[in-house]
Amino acid sequence: MRRRLLFAALPLLGLAACQTPGTASRPAPRTVIYFTADSAALDENAGALVADLAERAKTMGSAPVRVRGFAAPDSASSPAFARSLAEARARNVADQLVASGIDRGRIRLEPRGPVAFEQMAVESRRVEVLIGE
């Protein structure tokens, strides 16, 4: 009896898996910019990536731009330092977007530090930029 139910359910599951979600349910594309430890400075590669993001944002009209900064405290720093570093990273990326022609009113800063200790060190040293969400 179980085998019949399973085989009867397989076509239904296949049809459900083939449905294409509408654009409203799709998450906005996310771009990640990495930083060196204890730094909010953009290096040359990050600057080029932000310039590319600005060009993409320009093609999306007035779509909002969310800039999420992340940082984690290490053994020598405090959670307050991690919060301020996350905010500084997000602000530097936002300032670069504005310098590249994006209206500051479209940009929303979302500092997310400190992040959980379990995250890898590199993952905590990042900014995520989402356009159009």
Side-chain angles (χ1 to χ4, degrees):
M1 180 69 166
R2 286 186 184 167
R3 186 176 286 169
R4 281 189 200 165
L5 289 175
L6 178 62
F7 287 126
L10 285 177
L12 295 175
L13 292 174
L15 288 175
C18 292
Q19 293 176 355
T20 303
T23 55
S25 65
R26 291 183 188 159
R30 175 180 63 153
T31 301
V32 179
I33 300 166
Y34 290 98
F35 291 80
T36 58
D38 295 334
S39 174
L42 292 168
D43 64 15
E44 187 176 312
N45 292 332
L49 185 56
V50 173
D52 289 343
L53 279 168
E55 291 305 314
R56 184 168 19 138
K58 288 175 187 175
T59 66
M60 297 182 75
S62 62
V65 179
R66 293 177 16 186
V67 182
R68 295 177 178 166
F70 293 83
D74 59 18
S75 60
S77 64
S78 68
F81 173 76
R83 276 190 296 278
S84 65
L85 182 58
E87 184 173 347
R89 287 173 175 166
R91 188 172 314 284
N92 282 349
V93 170
D95 289 346
Q96 185 68 34
L97 287 168
V98 170
S100 297
I102 302 302
D103 179 31
R104 189 171 294 276
R106 291 177 57 190
I107 300 172
R108 187 170 77 207
L109 296 181
E110 298 178 359
R112 298 289 177 105
V115 298
F117 179 76
E118 294 80 26
Q119 285 188 325
M120 301 296 287
V122 171
E123 286 300 308
S124 68
R125 298 189 309 248
R126 73 185 192 278
V127 166
E128 297 176 349
V129 180
L130 295 92
I131 302 172
E133 185 177 282

